Amino acid sequence: MIVAAALPGIPEVRAGVDLAELLVEAAGMLADGDVLVVAHKIVSKAEGRTVALDDVEPGERAVELAAEHGKDARLVEVILRESSAIVRSRPGVLICRTPHGFVCANAGVDASNAGATDELVLLPIDPDASARALRARLRALTGVAPAIVIADSFGRAWRVGQCDVAIGIAGLAPVDDWRGRPDGAGRPLQATMIAVADAAAAAADLTRSKDSREPAVLVRGLERHVTDGDGPGAAALVRAREEDLFL
Amino acid sequence: MIVAAALPGIPEVRAGVDLAELLVEAAGMLADGDVLVVAHKIVSKAEGRTVALDDVEPGERAVELAAEHGKDARLVEVILRESSAIVRSRPGVLICRTPHGFVCANAGVDASNAGATDELVLLPIDPDASARALRARLRALTGVAPAIVIADSFGRAWRVGQCDVAIGIAGLAPVDDWRGRPDGAGRPLQATMIAVADAAAAAADLTRSKDSREPAVLVRGLERHVTDGDGPGAAALVRAREEDLFL
């Protein structure tokens, strides 16, 4: 059984805040085996990964692309800075690959829920490191180390709508790898790798509404996927460039 | 809060079985607002959507592709029959578009957990119709009509591993559409459409292990997305061909 519940009462997060303290206060009792799914926005804000739109000087390419796409050239400039490649584009849509290897709209640059109207929230520079640091700080504060999943809403190829996925992980198996293990009928499964951390992110997102300001969700029931060590992180969920058929 | 629990004690499903009866027996008390996530395999089996490998006569194209991909030519023949297009292929991997518009490996044709070793399980012909029929039968049996999500595990572009997604839906909003509605800071959200039914499928999958033979999961806490009418179904989750950048 899985139980997921949004944590109440997390205040607006500013740069430099101790996120672990806010989470402990909101969560109350935490236990080993718990998973905390945290919206990347509060992690990015705590880390100062925001940009004031007014401070951005768009370059030539940004100005061109912005005209083509009907977007603010300063926003496009920031998207370009946060991208290692533009994977696809068409009017109004920029699908980017980030330096982490994530493929998502606008390189994860987000204006919504950013606090001030003219502020953009970027992805953390190293979301796995952010997750590990948050877990270590929780362990220091409470003596227990819940797994951390940092989540963002990504669109998908072929399917309408967004699903939350894990962009940073500490202490949760990114995948449950069944390759070579027997199924219920005893036959070896050939390609089965369940993206546990992505599923946890998606499950967490179901607990809240987009206007609810509940950026953290406690998920219980995933103990069998929670590990003592921090593990390979969400980096293990990025398909290698040379194996990807859709770049 | 979301609670997801696998239903115990569902026996091996054969063609013609009354799936709704099995679900009612396993679930006990059902309530309006409940969501039942059902693995497509038991739906397909109940509908007789299986093929005995020995009965398949592979055509020329299947023989060629099978040699190229190191697969059984009879399996490839069935995959081709179940595909409207091969979207990408490389040794060992066939990414197909199905007549429903789903993009997935092997057109969803599956040999694992199929019962007999030489039996392939296909996707239901019309999974939304299957979901609606199951819901109607549950309503007839119990007087309440939980929402139905028929789920399958699909791989994703760019990311490692599979996540369960909704391939058939009755009575659950496929997406929670926030476009134009205000976020927590009062600004209109531009592109936010949460793929609720896919997230529910992913959450349900977390409750079980791949060898556990628990093909149905009861999800509670999604009442706000459950509808009286059956709604547009998973067809609404298929991005239109002409809008898709990755076909």
Side-chain angles (χ1 to χ4, degrees):
Chain A
M1 190 169 77
I2 304 292
V3 180
L7 302 184
I10 295 179
E12 187 69 31
V13 169
R14 289 170 206 285
V17 80
D18 186 337
L19 212 50
E21 254 179 30
L22 296 185
L23 291 172
V24 169
E25 270 168 44
M29 209 57 164
L30 286 168
D32 284 319
D34 285 351
V35 178
L36 273 174
V37 179
V38 182
H40 89 276
K41 276 176 196 165
I42 62 170
V43 176
S44 294
K45 286 192 206 176
E47 294 179 351
R49 285 280 290 161
T50 57
V51 171
L53 205 53
D54 288 344
D55 294 347
V56 179
E57 190 69 54
E60 203 177 316
R61 192 168 167 225
V63 171
E64 276 174 35
L65 265 175
E68 219 174 284
H69 288 265
K71 286 182 193 271
D72 186 314
R74 299 166 302 173
L75 169 63
V76 174
E77 173 64 30
V78 175
I79 292 170
L80 290 175
R81 288 180 197 167
E82 295 294 311
S83 299
S84 61
I86 307 291
V87 176
R88 295 283 189 286
S89 79
R90 67 154 191 219
V93 179
L94 282 170
I95 310 294
C96 308
R97 193 167 196 265
T98 71
H100 326 87
F102 302 135
V103 177
C104 55
N106 302 330
V109 176
D110 211 325
S112 67
N113 281 325
T117 313
D118 59 351
E119 196 183 48
L120 303 176
V121 180
L122 318 178
L123 297 185
I125 287 179
D126 182 347
D128 284 329
S130 304
R132 289 192 297 268
L134 191 51
R135 192 180 194 213
R137 179 77 183 128
L138 283 168
R139 196 194 305 259
L141 285 173
T142 66
V144 298
I148 301 292
V149 172
I150 299 174
D152 193 8
S153 301
F154 280 9
R156 297 92 51 84
W158 318 309
R159 293 180 76 79
V160 168
Q162 296 102 42
C163 252
D164 270 28
V165 297
I167 65 163
I169 306 170
L172 185 71
V175 295
D176 187 17
D177 191 349
W178 280 83
R179 289 175 301 175
R181 287 152 78 187
D183 67 14
R187 255 153 324 130
L189 290 155
Q190 297 192 339
T192 304
M193 295 176 75
I194 306 303
V196 170
D198 284 343
D205 195 40
L206 286 175
T207 64
R208 63 187 162 212
S209 156
K210 282 291 143 186
D211 61 357
S212 69
R213 293 178 175 271
E214 290 169 315
V217 175
L218 179 59
V219 182
R220 289 194 155 134
L222 294 175
E223 292 78 6
R224 71 186 188 283
H225 302 300
V226 174
T227 54
D228 266 352
D230 289 331
L237 289 170
V238 174
R239 183 167 288 144
R241 242 188 113 77
E242 61 276 14
E243 286 174 18
D244 199 296
L245 300 171
F246 299 97
L247 280 176
Chain B
M1 191 167 77
I2 304 292
V3 179
L7 303 184
I10 295 179
E12 189 68 30
V13 169
R14 289 170 207 284
V17 81
D18 186 337
L19 212 51
E21 254 178 29
L22 296 184
L23 291 172
V24 169
E25 270 167 42
M29 209 55 166
L30 286 168
D32 283 320
D34 285 352
V35 178
L36 273 174
V37 180
V38 182
H40 88 277
K41 276 176 196 165
I42 61 170
V43 176
S44 295
K45 286 192 205 176
E47 294 178 351
R49 283 281 290 162
T50 59
V51 171
L53 206 52
D54 287 343
D55 295 345
V56 179
E57 191 67 55
E60 205 177 315
R61 192 169 167 222
V63 171
E64 275 174 36
L65 265 175
E68 219 175 286
H69 288 264
K71 288 182 191 270
D72 186 314
R74 299 167 301 174
L75 169 61
V76 174
E77 174 64 30
V78 176
I79 292 170
L80 289 175
R81 288 179 197 166
E82 294 294 311
S83 299
S84 60
I86 307 290
V87 176
R88 297 282 191 286
S89 80
R90 67 156 191 220
V93 180
L94 282 171
I95 311 294
C96 308
R97 192 166 197 266
T98 72
H100 326 87
F102 302 135
V103 176
C104 56
N106 302 330
V109 175
D110 211 325
S112 67
N113 279 325
T117 313
D118 60 350
E119 195 183 49
L120 304 176
V121 180
L122 318 178
L123 297 185
I125 288 179
D126 181 346
D128 284 328
S130 305
R132 290 191 297 266
L134 192 50
R135 191 181 196 213
R137 179 77 182 129
L138 284 168
R139 196 195 305 258
L141 285 173
T142 67
V144 297
I148 301 292
V149 173
I150 299 174
D152 194 8
S153 300
F154 280 9
R156 297 89 52 84
W158 318 309
R159 294 179 76 81
V160 168
Q162 295 102 42
C163 253
D164 271 27
V165 297
I167 65 164
I169 307 170
L172 185 71
V175 296
D176 186 18
D177 191 349
W178 280 83
R179 289 173 301 175
R181 286 151 78 187
D183 66 13
R187 255 156 324 130
L189 290 156
Q190 294 190 341
T192 304
M193 292 176 75
I194 307 304
V196 169
D198 284 344
D205 196 38
L206 286 173
T207 63
R208 63 187 161 211
S209 154
K210 281 292 144 183
D211 61 357
S212 69
R213 293 179 176 272
E214 290 169 317
V217 176
L218 178 59
V219 183
R220 291 196 153 134
L222 293 176
E223 292 77 4
R224 70 185 188 284
H225 302 299
V226 174
T227 54
D228 265 350
D230 290 331
L237 289 171
V238 174
R239 184 169 286 144
R241 242 187 112 76
E242 61 277 14
E243 286 173 17
D244 200 295
L245 300 171
F246 299 96
L247 281 176

